[in-house]
Amino acid sequence: MIGRKKPKRWSGDVTCHSDALDLEPDIFTSDDPRHIAESLKHSAETSTRRKAQPFRSAMSMLVFYVNRVGRSLSPQRHQVLDRAKKELRRVFGRPG
């Protein structure tokens, strides 16, 4: 295995270089669900490259991140990101 390169993962690049949203750096590491939601909302509303409605783009990026991190996500981080989903619905005025 000497000299063998680690396989390149496309999914890790998506949150950094998304064609749909310009995300605040390290937004998903914030401990404040409201800050995460507000930042995603701002990114989705100001983006001129997104294809879906702002709410769908923001929620898709959050869900994509949670799914990408998967099992390595601690219960505390998972709880913060779940709260961010609820907060995202609230800041967009969506029921749920």
Side-chain angles (χ1 to χ4, degrees):
M1 291 252 196
I2 296 174
R4 192 168 181 190
K5 290 184 179 181
K6 188 175 180 181
K8 187 174 180 179
R9 309 265 179 177
W10 65 268
S11 60
D13 204 40
V14 170
T15 54
C16 294
H17 305 101
S18 169
D19 284 335
L21 301 179
D22 292 322
L23 299 174
E24 181 181 326
D26 300 320
I27 185 59
F28 296 116
T29 61
S30 173
D31 290 330
D32 183 8
R34 182 170 177 85
H35 176 68
I36 296 169
E38 292 285 347
S39 178
L40 286 170
K41 181 180 185 205
H42 174 74
S43 295
E45 289 179 338
T46 59
S47 176
T48 58
R49 298 173 292 166
R50 64 178 163 71
K51 295 177 184 168
Q53 295 297 317
F55 172 74
R56 284 187 58 193
S57 293
M59 186 61 79
S60 292
M61 187 58 73
L62 180 53
V63 169
F64 176 83
Y65 178 78
V66 170
N67 290 340
R68 182 177 68 87
V69 174
R71 293 182 189 140
S72 66
L73 199 60
S74 73
Q76 293 83 11
R77 290 298 313 148
H78 202 292
Q79 189 176 36
V80 168
L81 295 173
D82 277 343
R83 284 192 211 140
K85 287 181 195 177
K86 291 176 185 172
E87 191 65 28
L88 190 59
R89 288 182 189 99
R90 193 190 68 70
V91 298
F92 271 103
R94 298 286 181 113

